[in-house]
């Protein structure tokens, strides 16, 4: 499931200097497999905006605490805002995309060390990274269809562009989850490591990057960003373009829908939803 409900615990996105030139970013939400709260999305944005401004940084290493990367969004917060279209829009376009956009705009190379659950928001965050190294027993997916709502448009485009359209369709339409071996074959993961070795391998990758020319790395990221954005620029037929524009006018109109309320409510009540 892309999200975790439970007792309120410490939740934060923390950045510390791992060693010269390398910033360590840790997703932490105790007892919830590092599910992202609204505050954590805002912290993610601040961390990566600060990283972008630091001339001394050569690499960022991002990981989750306690044996998981990120299990999705903190669903216990959802009843507070998800059923109002404007608040839902503010959450996705402000909080979530604020964090993801800051990662995508960061010229400092980003290495992800992925262990355990990497679902929903975790897949989105990892998709913003340049090198992804995962534990052999890690699991990946975005099964939010079970919660009665779609992935926000820009987030879906990000994920589909990273994992590939076929896997993205299975994640979103079948609520399918995948193992690390499948994701490395799909080209999304850089490599797979034994669970006890994943962080050390990710740190080794960060050290290799940090030992190379930092200006060249930043320029390469700018080039690759421009290439990615050019690939995502739509060139559909007039009819298809009109349909896309119609959706884009109000992609959060489903906020107060019965199935949205049922999906979130069923998860929080720990029962099977009835759609």
């Amino acid at each position: 499931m892309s999200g975790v409900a439970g007792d309120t615990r410490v939740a934060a996105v923390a950045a510390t200097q791992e060693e010269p030139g390398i910033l360590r970013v840790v997703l932490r939400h105790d007892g919830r497999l590092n599910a992202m709260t609204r505050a954590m999305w805002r912290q993610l944005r601040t961390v990566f905006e600060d990283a972008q401004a630091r001339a001394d940084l050569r690499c960022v290493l991002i990981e989750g605490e306690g044996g998981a990367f990120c299990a999705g969004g903190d669903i216990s917060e959802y009843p507070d805002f998800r059923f109002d279209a404007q608040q839902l829009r503010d959450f996705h376009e402000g909080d979530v995309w604020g964090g993801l956009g800051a990662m995508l705009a960061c010229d400092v190379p980003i290495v992800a060390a992925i262990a355990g659950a990497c679902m929903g928001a975790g897949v989105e965050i990892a998709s913003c990274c340049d090198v992804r190294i995962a534990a052999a027993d890690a699991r990946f997916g975005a099964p939010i269809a079970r919660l009665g709502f779609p992935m926000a448009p820009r987030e879906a485009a990000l994920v589909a562009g990273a994992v590939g359209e076929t896997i993205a369709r299975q994640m979103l339409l079948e609520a399918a989850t995948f193992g690390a071996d499948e994701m490395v074959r799909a080209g999304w993961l850089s490599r797979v490591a034994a669970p006890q070795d994943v962080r050390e391998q990710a740190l080794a990758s960060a050290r290799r990057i940090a030992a190379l020319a930092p200006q060249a790395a930043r320029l390469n990221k700018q080039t690759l960003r421009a290439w990615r954005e050019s690939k995502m620029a739509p060139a559909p037929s007039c009819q298809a373009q009109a349909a896309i524009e119609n959706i884009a006018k109000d992609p959060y109109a489903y906020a107060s829908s019965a199935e949205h309320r049922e999906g979130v409510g069923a998860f929080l009540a720990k029962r099977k939803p009835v759609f």
Side-chain angles (χ1 to χ4, degrees):
M1 180 61 64
S2 85
V4 178
D7 297 333
T8 301
R9 305 290 181 89
V10 174
V13 176
T16 57
Q17 195 74 36
E18 176 72 18
E19 52 190 63
I22 299 175
L23 184 72
R24 181 190 181 209
V25 176
V26 179
L27 309 176
R28 180 189 180 193
H29 196 166
D30 294 353
R32 300 193 188 183
L33 302 178
N34 307 320
M36 295 290 289
T37 64
R38 297 192 76 168
M40 288 172 70
W41 282 116
R42 295 170 188 144
Q43 291 165 2
L44 188 74
R45 176 177 186 167
T46 298
V47 163
F48 277 93
E49 287 179 343
D50 289 348
Q52 172 70 356
R54 285 183 54 180
D56 63 309
L57 280 188
R58 296 188 171 207
C59 192
V60 176
L61 173 63
I62 186 167
E63 61 186 318
E65 187 172 84
F69 186 70
C70 171
D74 183 0
I75 298 171
S76 69
E77 290 187 335
Y78 285 4
D80 295 338
F81 65 87
R82 282 206 68 98
F83 306 133
D84 177 84
Q86 186 56 53
Q87 291 187 64
L88 182 61
R89 179 186 298 275
D90 292 344
F91 168 65
H92 281 291
E93 301 299 326
D95 296 339
V96 177
W97 196 257
L100 298 175
M103 291 187 72
L104 291 171
C106 185
D107 293 332
V108 181
I110 307 169
V111 176
I114 304 171
C118 182
M119 299 287 167
V123 172
E124 294 176 4
I125 290 169
S127 291
C128 297
C129 299
D130 302 294
V131 177
R132 293 176 281 269
I133 300 171
D137 57 358
R139 296 294 300 178
F140 306 87
I144 54 176
R146 296 175 185 166
L147 295 172
F149 60 84
M151 187 172 279
R154 288 203 283 187
E155 295 162 48
L158 167 67
V159 170
V163 306
E165 184 179 347
T166 298
I167 287 180
R169 287 179 183 273
Q170 288 179 268
M171 284 182 174
L172 295 176
L173 302 180
E174 291 184 348
T177 60
F178 297 87
D181 57 339
E182 295 170 292
M183 297 303 287
V184 77
R185 287 199 298 271
W188 187 73
L189 288 177
S190 303
R191 54 188 171 275
V192 176
Q196 67 272 19
D197 297 333
V198 63
R199 187 181 189 280
E200 190 55 42
Q201 289 205 23
L203 181 56
S205 176
R207 286 169 174 160
R208 286 193 292 272
I209 292 169
L212 300 172
Q215 184 178 7
R218 292 185 182 228
L219 290 172
N220 278 331
K221 285 206 63 173
Q222 292 170 18
T223 300
L224 291 169
R225 183 185 307 120
W227 170 77
R228 173 185 171 275
E229 290 172 354
S230 70
K231 281 183 62 180
M232 293 181 66
S237 67
C238 292
Q239 183 176 359
Q241 180 65 40
I244 290 170
E245 290 174 354
N246 187 54
I247 292 171
K249 287 177 183 176
D250 197 358
Y252 305 109
Y254 70 87
S256 61
S257 68
E259 69 175 42
H260 187 195
R261 292 180 182 274
E262 169 63 9
V264 174
F267 183 88
L268 293 172
K270 299 181 179 180
R271 61 174 175 80
K272 185 176 180 180
V274 179
F275 294 124

